[in-house]
Amino acid sequence: MKTNLGDVLAVCLITFIVIAPALVVFALVWSHHLQFIHRPFPLARIAEVLSLMSMSGFFFFPVWTAYQSYQSAKFKQKVARLERLWQQSI
């Protein structure tokens, strides 16, 4: 079985076409990473991140308490159901 130069070039070209977008994305991410590493991180940015985290906690706390209330109600229903089954079996 002979390998044809045209087949080899076609495989190389198709492989490059398939891999090229990933290489472009990797190059973009790497350049942004290098820019981020070499840029000084100002204290105002740290304060902004901390305030964003505290605000997200402030907004998610009611959701978390509602979820905990829901779970508690489901648990109480299960306990009541099991108690009824236990009383019926006696």
Side-chain angles (χ1 to χ4, degrees):
M1 185 183 216
K2 287 183 168 180
T3 56
N4 206 358
L5 185 60
D7 293 340
V8 171
L9 289 176
V11 168
C12 290
L13 181 64
I14 292 171
T15 304
F16 179 73
I17 289 172
V18 169
I19 294 176
L23 292 174
V24 169
V25 169
F26 182 76
L28 286 172
V29 168
W30 188 254
S31 69
H32 285 295
H33 171 71
L34 290 177
Q35 288 175 1
F36 180 76
I37 293 296
H38 294 299
R39 182 179 54 187
F41 203 68
L43 265 72
R45 180 81 174 149
I46 294 172
E48 179 183 327
V49 169
L50 289 175
S51 68
L52 181 64
M53 287 172 52
S54 66
M55 278 197 313
S56 66
F58 177 74
F59 287 119
F60 287 125
F61 183 73
V63 174
W64 177 254
T65 55
Y67 174 74
Q68 289 294 320
S69 301
Y70 170 74
Q71 290 293 333
S72 176
K74 277 181 52 177
F75 181 71
K76 286 179 183 177
Q77 287 175 350
K78 276 186 185 178
V79 168
R81 189 177 324 129
L82 288 172
E83 285 178 348
R84 279 194 312 269
L85 288 172
W86 185 68
Q87 291 294 332
Q88 289 174 358
S89 69
I90 292 181

